[in-house]
Amino acid sequence: MEEEKSEVRNMETRIFEAAEELFLNQGYAKTSTGQIAKLAGCNQALVHYYYRTKDNLFDLVFESKVRLVVNNILAVDSPEGNLDSKIAGMVGAHFDYLKQNPKIIPFIFNELSTNYERLQSLIAKLQQYPQSLLTHLKADLKEGIEKGLVREISEIDLLLSIASLNVTPFLIMPFFQKALNLSDKELDIALEKRKAEIIETVLSRLRK
């Protein structure tokens, strides 16, 4: 019985991972359930059995990727360390995650730009994020503002600044790499330099 349950979970995971790979590489429109089934090593009937429709499967993949991007900003939100070190850690961790997963940002932007309803649905789901995830950051900002160490800013505005600054390089760097004929090593050096500049930019904007 346990072995059967394990096989079911394994097949469900294989289908999800196959869909994830195809959606990231070629987008929603160019991916079919037949391609997903072939990559997962099953038939189309099983894809529909576990996930009903391609839309349902795509929404699960898409939402999981967006949540990973958001969670990697919040992951360093902890009660330890001073405000500068915490924010530098948040910016760096988020940037490194995007660097290790370069297909995620183009994937998200492409799908949002072609499906307004999906954007609205995503916003509604993200609004359900537990506010407790921001507890430490909110408290630290409040303390810094009261002590006159940082300017008046909300935790949401700060996170939006971090996200927008970190995301931009991964939208434009592929074009720069081709246009300037940069090697992967040269691109890596450029990205690390950009990360340091973003950290300094975020911190300098906080200071009064």
Side-chain angles (χ1 to χ4, degrees):
M1 188 67 176
E2 286 300 319
E3 187 175 336
E4 289 180 4
K5 288 182 179 179
S6 177
E7 288 180 4
V8 168
R9 285 194 295 269
N10 185 45
M11 177 53 68
E12 191 172 0
T13 299
R14 279 164 52 191
I15 292 171
F16 183 89
E17 290 175 347
E20 182 179 59
E21 180 178 337
L22 289 167
F23 286 140
L24 280 172
N25 286 330
Q26 57 191 39
Y28 172 86
K30 294 181 180 180
T31 298
S32 68
T33 53
Q35 291 174 320
I36 294 170
K38 183 177 180 180
L39 187 58
C42 66
N43 56 48
Q44 286 189 61
L46 279 176
V47 175
H48 291 293
Y49 173 77
Y50 287 114
Y51 294 100
R52 305 304 179 209
T53 66
K54 185 177 90 167
D55 274 357
N56 285 343
L57 184 48
F58 179 84
D59 285 345
L60 288 171
V61 171
F62 186 80
E63 186 180 340
S64 74
K65 292 305 176 187
V66 173
R67 286 187 180 277
L68 281 173
V69 171
V70 175
N71 282 339
N72 270 272
I73 298 181
L74 302 176
V76 190
D77 182 24
S78 71
E80 300 178 0
N82 61 42
L83 185 58
D84 278 11
S85 65
K86 290 180 189 178
I87 291 174
M90 290 171 68
V91 176
H94 184 241
F95 191 96
D96 288 341
Y97 173 77
L98 297 180
K99 183 180 173 183
Q100 292 161 10
N101 299 272
K103 294 179 181 178
I104 286 183
I105 293 303
F107 164 71
I108 291 174
F109 271 75
N110 179 65
E111 297 303 332
L112 288 181
S113 66
T114 57
N115 193 323
Y116 181 73
E117 289 183 359
R118 183 165 287 121
L119 173 60
Q120 294 298 99
S121 174
L122 175 65
I123 291 172
K125 288 177 180 178
L126 290 180
Q127 286 174 338
Q128 299 171 12
Y129 257 59
Q131 287 299 307
S132 59
L133 289 173
L134 300 173
T135 298
H136 301 307
L137 178 60
K138 187 174 183 178
D140 287 337
L141 284 175
K142 182 180 179 181
E143 181 181 354
I145 292 168
E146 290 174 349
K147 290 181 177 180
L149 300 175
V150 299
R151 66 181 179 84
E152 191 80 31
I153 187 173
S154 72
E155 68 277 12
I156 300 300
D157 286 336
L158 176 58
L159 292 177
L160 285 173
S161 293
I162 293 172
S164 60
L165 286 168
N166 274 350
V167 161
T168 302
F170 298 97
L171 286 174
I172 64 174
M173 276 300 184
F175 300 103
F176 274 98
Q177 184 176 21
K178 289 183 179 180
L180 301 176
N181 196 29
L182 299 177
S183 67
D184 288 343
K185 183 177 181 180
E186 289 172 324
L187 178 63
D188 185 69
I189 292 172
L191 286 172
E192 285 301 306
K193 181 179 179 181
R194 184 61 187 151
K195 179 174 71 173
E197 290 172 349
I198 290 172
I199 291 172
E200 182 53 38
T201 297
V202 171
L203 292 178
S204 65
R205 287 181 181 177
L206 275 178
R207 299 179 185 120
K208 297 191 76 171

